[in-house]
Amino acid sequence: MWGNFPIRCFTCGKCVSKDAIKYQERVNKGEVPQEVLDQLRYNRECCRRMFLTHVDHTDILLLYGK
Protein backbone atom coordinates (compact mmCIF):
# COMPACT_ATOMS: atom_id res chain seq x y z
CA MET A 1 0.00 0.00 0.00
CA TRP A 2 1.48 3.32 -1.12
CA GLY A 3 4.97 1.89 -1.08
CA ASN A 4 5.90 3.76 -4.24
CA PHE A 5 4.46 7.14 -3.22
CA PRO A 6 6.80 10.02 -4.14
CA ILE A 7 8.91 11.36 -1.31
CA ARG A 8 8.64 15.01 -2.32
CA CYS A 9 6.18 17.12 -4.26
CA PHE A 10 7.31 17.31 -7.89
CA THR A 11 6.68 21.06 -8.07
CA CYS A 12 7.62 22.69 -4.76
CA GLY A 13 9.78 20.00 -3.14
CA LYS A 14 7.79 19.69 0.11
CA CYS A 15 8.09 16.30 1.81
CA VAL A 16 4.73 14.58 1.26
CA SER A 17 5.49 10.90 1.87
CA LYS A 18 5.36 11.26 5.67
CA ASP A 19 1.56 11.65 5.57
CA ALA A 20 0.68 9.27 2.72
CA ILE A 21 -0.36 6.36 4.93
CA LYS A 22 -2.33 8.61 7.31
CA TYR A 23 -4.16 10.10 4.34
CA GLN A 24 -5.00 6.73 2.80
CA GLU A 25 -6.24 5.25 6.10
CA ARG A 26 -8.53 8.21 6.78
CA VAL A 27 -9.95 8.26 3.25
CA ASN A 28 -10.56 4.51 3.38
CA LYS A 29 -12.57 5.05 6.59
CA GLY A 30 -14.88 7.37 4.65
CA GLU A 31 -13.53 10.85 5.37
CA VAL A 32 -13.63 13.45 2.62
CA PRO A 33 -10.20 13.79 0.93
CA GLN A 34 -10.43 17.59 0.87
CA GLU A 35 -10.97 17.77 4.62
CA VAL A 36 -8.18 15.28 5.34
CA LEU A 37 -5.70 17.30 3.28
CA ASP A 38 -6.83 20.50 5.02
CA GLN A 39 -6.26 18.92 8.44
CA LEU A 40 -2.85 17.59 7.38
CA ARG A 41 -2.03 21.17 6.28
CA TYR A 42 -1.51 20.58 2.58
CA ASN A 43 -2.72 23.88 1.19
CA ARG A 44 -0.78 24.11 -2.06
CA GLU A 45 -2.46 22.70 -5.15
CA CYS A 46 0.74 20.98 -6.24
CA CYS A 47 1.03 19.01 -2.98
CA ARG A 48 -2.66 18.11 -2.95
CA ARG A 49 -2.27 16.79 -6.50
CA MET A 50 0.32 14.30 -5.26
CA PHE A 51 -2.26 12.66 -2.98
CA LEU A 52 -5.31 12.92 -5.20
CA THR A 53 -3.75 11.56 -8.40
CA HIS A 54 -1.47 8.83 -7.02
CA VAL A 55 -2.12 5.34 -8.41
CA ASP A 56 -0.37 2.37 -6.83
CA HIS A 57 0.66 -0.11 -9.54
CA THR A 58 2.57 -2.46 -7.24
CA ASP A 59 -0.13 -5.14 -7.10
CA ILE A 60 -0.49 -5.15 -10.88
CA LEU A 61 3.26 -5.41 -11.48
CA LEU A 62 3.62 -8.33 -9.05
CA LEU A 63 1.36 -10.43 -11.30
CA TYR A 64 4.05 -10.53 -13.98
CA GLY A 65 6.86 -11.93 -11.85
CA LYS A 66 10.15 -12.86 -13.47
Side-chain angles (χ1 to χ4, degrees), residues 2 5 16 20 23 37 42 47-54:
W2 288 55
F5 191 78
V16 293
Y23 170 80
L37 289 171
Y42 287 99
C47 295
R48 293 170 84 91
R49 171 202 64 210
M50 301 299 289
F51 290 94
L52 297 173
T53 62
H54 177 72

Side-chain angles (χ1 to χ4, degrees), residues 1-10 14-24 37 42 46-58:
M1 178 173 111
W2 288 55
N4 62 351
F5 191 78
I7 295 172
R8 296 193 174 272
C9 174
F10 295 146
K14 180 177 180 176
C15 181
V16 293
S17 64
K18 62 182 177 154
D19 293 321
I21 294 174
K22 292 179 206 172
Y23 170 80
Q24 186 63 35
L37 289 171
Y42 287 99
C46 58
C47 295
R48 293 170 84 91
R49 171 202 64 210
M50 301 299 289
F51 290 94
L52 297 173
T53 62
H54 177 72
V55 178
D56 190 8
H57 294 291
T58 306

Side-chain angles (χ1 to χ4, degrees), residues 18-36:
K18 62 182 177 154
D19 293 321
I21 294 174
K22 292 179 206 172
Y23 170 80
Q24 186 63 35
E25 288 173 350
R26 290 177 64 179
V27 170
N28 286 343
K29 288 180 184 176
E31 292 187 52
V32 179
Q34 178 182 358
E35 293 174 4
V36 174

Side-chain angles (χ1 to χ4, degrees), residues 57-66:
H57 294 291
T58 306
D59 295 334
I60 296 168
L61 293 173
L62 290 175
L63 296 175
Y64 294 101
K66 291 184 179 181

